[in-house]
Amino acid sequence: MIPCWSRSRPQNQDFTRTYSLTGMMMPPLFLVSGLVAVCSFSGEIMVTGFLHSPSPPLLSRQPAHSSTSTSLHMNKRTTPSVKSGGGGFGKKVTSLNLRTKKPSSNFVYAGPLRPYPQSPQSVVDPSTVLTVPDYAYDGTPKKKGTYTEIEIKSAEEIQKMRAAGKAARQVLDMAGAMVKPGVTTDEIDRAVHEACIERGAYPSPLNYRKFPKSCCTSVNEVICHGIPDKRPLEVGDIVNLDITVYLDGYHGDCSEMFVVGGKEALDDNGRKLIQTTYDAWIQAMEIVRPGVDYNAIGKIIQDYVTPKGYSTVRSFCGHGIGSTFHTAPNIYHYTINQQLGQMKPGHVFTIEPMICEGLPDPYMWEDNWTATTVDGKRSAQFEHSLLVTEDGVEALTGKLDSSPIQFWEEESSIRKGIWLGTSKEAKKRTGALNKRLKN
């Protein structure tokens, strides 16, 4: 995601906080503190505090540098500038509603959710993964891609991105199965961390611009970049799990919604929010093919959700992805009239719309990452890493034979069943997978 910014304040509050985001969806949530071997903290850390870790421990070896790279940010967006680099998780905010690096007792929250304590940061032994990203040691990404040109992946790169995408999907499915009443997002994060390591992958969010955990868990009114903590999940919560893995020098990035307690535990408005978000996302991905203008994606999304009474977040965006976490192109999830270039075979990027019940303006917590809605109403999001092929698009993070099917897939008015892409090969796999699910 990438950030763009304006003024926002919690609704019905007699004060105004101004913040300006420049950089990451990409927004600010992924400031990863620590590195591959993030330092362990004694005691517990409050999520609301700006996580400022002591000097991270040195790793036993330096990260490998690949010959091909693209640039990296978190999906956060600045003012719409065609020539701004890829937005995303790690782009840094210059100023926001934050005056101190310590939690303040008078901070006003926009909704009912509150931060809970966090466990110590996890540590990665570099010998247990194929390679570590260049930011793992100090939190600062070093690889820089072009700001004006979108990288066309080679056949070898695409093969590695397929592997990274599959690993990310496996981890996401595992994490989603843990979404149950009483389970904490901190427990989910620990499982995600271990699942990444088991696959020889580094959990991309960890220490990315000092982000303190191995995945993002965004509950209810949290738009994106929620930091896993010790709050037990409650029946009826909606949760977005955002998983990115760094495998053999390439990132695979995906996210999905989950309902604590299942469909029956969710109110009608919650069901409509998730269904609308999912259907808008599917429609946007369906148009991806060579020759299509990138600005068509946002128009499709906005034109679908707005008449239904929802809003689409403008402060964070999708992004190019590859050997770097975030790079060009920026993928806007709303109508933008500027020319953003055309899709070509070999382009790889994410589409990850954040759709809100109320206002789309983000309100930042003091941890410098958690972005909630400004009015405390709920938000939903889905994400795939997508490859433009000669004949359409392929979801590199698409579901597998072992993946569960969700009610929004079964009840979609746009495309019922699991969606894997529009290319000939993707359609073939989609048909076979959905046939098995029916049986």
Side-chain angles (χ1 to χ4, degrees):
M1 293 176 195
I2 308 185
C4 77
W5 217 269
S6 60
R7 284 180 197 174
S8 297
R9 64 181 176 84
Q11 298 299 291
N12 303 317
Q13 298 297 332
D14 186 22
F15 74 99
T16 300
R17 295 177 184 267
T18 302
Y19 28 91
S20 165
L21 305 179
T22 65
M24 302 180 329
M25 158 141 257
M26 303 181 181
L29 286 180
F30 269 75
L31 294 178
V32 198
S33 96
L35 277 199
V36 170
V38 166
C39 50
S40 292
F41 296 25
S42 57
E44 295 187 337
I45 305 165
M46 290 303 296
V47 178
T48 44
F50 179 86
L51 295 176
H52 179 67
S53 61
S55 299
L58 297 176
L59 298 183
S60 58
R61 67 178 185 185
Q62 293 301 307
H65 295 282
S66 68
S67 57
T68 56
S69 66
T70 348
S71 50
L72 206 167
H73 319 292
M74 242 166 111
N75 13 358
K76 217 191 224 173
R77 158 182 185 272
T78 55
T79 34
S81 171
V82 177
K83 293 188 177 181
S84 62
F89 182 78
K91 268 201 165 179
K92 176 73 169 144
V93 226
T94 52
S95 64
L96 37 98
N97 57 326
L98 168 74
R99 296 180 182 176
T100 174
K101 292 183 179 180
K102 297 179 180 180
S104 60
S105 59
N106 62 349
F107 184 82
V108 178
Y109 294 91
L113 198 68
R114 296 292 183 272
Y116 273 57
Q118 296 173 21
S119 63
Q121 284 182 303
S122 298
V123 175
V124 175
D125 177 353
S127 67
T128 63
V129 296
L130 292 177
T131 185
V132 298
D134 61 6
Y135 54 83
Y137 300 88
D138 60 5
T140 302
K142 317 297 185 305
K143 297 177 182 178
K144 303 293 180 184
T146 174
Y147 288 96
T148 56
E149 296 180 11
I150 302 169
E151 184 179 80
I152 295 178
K153 303 294 191 293
S154 67
E156 180 182 358
E157 289 179 298
I158 290 171
Q159 182 179 4
K160 289 187 175 183
M161 293 207 69
R162 282 200 175 102
K166 181 178 180 180
R169 166 53 58 182
Q170 290 172 337
V171 175
L172 178 57
D173 288 350
M174 178 281 302
M178 293 182 65
V179 175
K180 297 177 182 178
V183 175
T184 69
T185 52
D186 191 85
E187 291 172 315
I188 292 174
D189 177 78
R190 166 44 60 181
V192 165
H193 184 88
E194 293 175 353
C196 290
I197 304 303
E198 288 171 3
R199 289 164 175 78
Y202 177 90
S204 300
L206 184 62
N207 205 41
Y208 183 73
R209 298 186 184 274
K210 305 298 184 185
F211 189 74
K213 292 293 182 177
S214 297
C215 67
C216 290
T217 54
S218 301
V219 180
N220 297 336
E221 70 264 29
V222 178
I223 295 171
C224 60
H225 301 160
I227 301 176
D229 63 22
K230 295 189 175 183
R231 174 189 178 272
L233 293 173
E234 300 176 0
V235 173
D237 283 344
I238 61 172
V239 185
N240 176 270
L241 298 181
D242 194 339
I243 305 295
T244 312
V245 307
Y246 184 70
L247 179 66
D248 198 15
Y250 288 83
H251 297 273
D253 190 1
C254 54
S255 83
E256 189 171 339
M257 296 301 297
F258 297 91
V259 179
V260 182
K263 176 182 176 181
E264 301 308 316
L266 188 60
D267 60 279
D268 287 343
N269 288 337
R271 293 182 193 178
K272 291 176 183 176
L273 170 65
I274 294 178
Q275 191 69 65
T276 299
T277 303
Y278 178 79
D279 287 347
W281 179 57
I282 292 295
Q283 283 195 91
M285 294 190 295
E286 288 263 289
I287 69 165
V288 174
R289 65 181 66 88
V292 173
D293 290 338
Y294 275 103
N295 59 11
I297 293 172
K299 179 172 172 44
I300 286 282
I301 293 169
Q302 184 170 326
D303 287 353
Y304 185 77
V305 304
T306 300
K308 296 180 181 295
Y310 299 101
S311 62
T312 177
V313 173
R314 298 183 173 217
S315 300
F316 302 97
C317 66
H319 52 90
I321 187 169
S323 59
T324 53
F325 201 163
H326 303 89
T327 185
N330 291 340
I331 304 299
Y332 301 105
H333 304 119
Y334 60 93
T335 301
I336 183 169
N337 295 322
Q338 290 173 291
Q339 292 301 309
L340 303 175
Q342 292 188 335
M343 302 172 194
K344 296 180 180 180
H347 285 184
V348 180
F349 56 90
T350 69
I351 296 180
E352 46 185 309
M354 293 138 277
I355 307 302
C356 304
E357 289 181 316
L359 298 173
D361 308 296
Y363 180 70
M364 299 302 302
W365 279 8
E366 291 182 306
D367 57 24
N368 203 20
W369 281 111
T370 307
T372 73
T373 57
V374 73
D375 53 13
K377 294 185 179 180
R378 292 172 295 187
S379 179
Q381 178 188 24
F382 291 89
E383 175 185 15
H384 269 322
S385 293
L386 302 167
L387 166 67
V388 182
T389 65
E390 293 288 349
D391 59 345
V393 61
E394 173 188 341
L396 297 177
T397 49
K399 288 194 169 182
L400 308 170
D401 289 353
S402 57
S403 300
I405 188 168
Q406 304 281 15
F407 75 79
W408 43 83
E409 294 168 317
E410 294 178 315
E411 299 175 8
S412 174
S413 61
I414 305 303
R415 185 72 61 187
K416 292 188 185 301
I418 287 173
W419 187 94
L420 298 178
T422 63
S423 68
K424 182 179 179 180
E425 180 59 31
K427 286 181 177 179
K428 180 180 178 181
R429 288 188 287 110
T430 300
L433 180 56
N434 283 322
K435 184 177 181 180
R436 280 194 292 273
L437 288 172
K438 289 179 181 178
N439 296 334

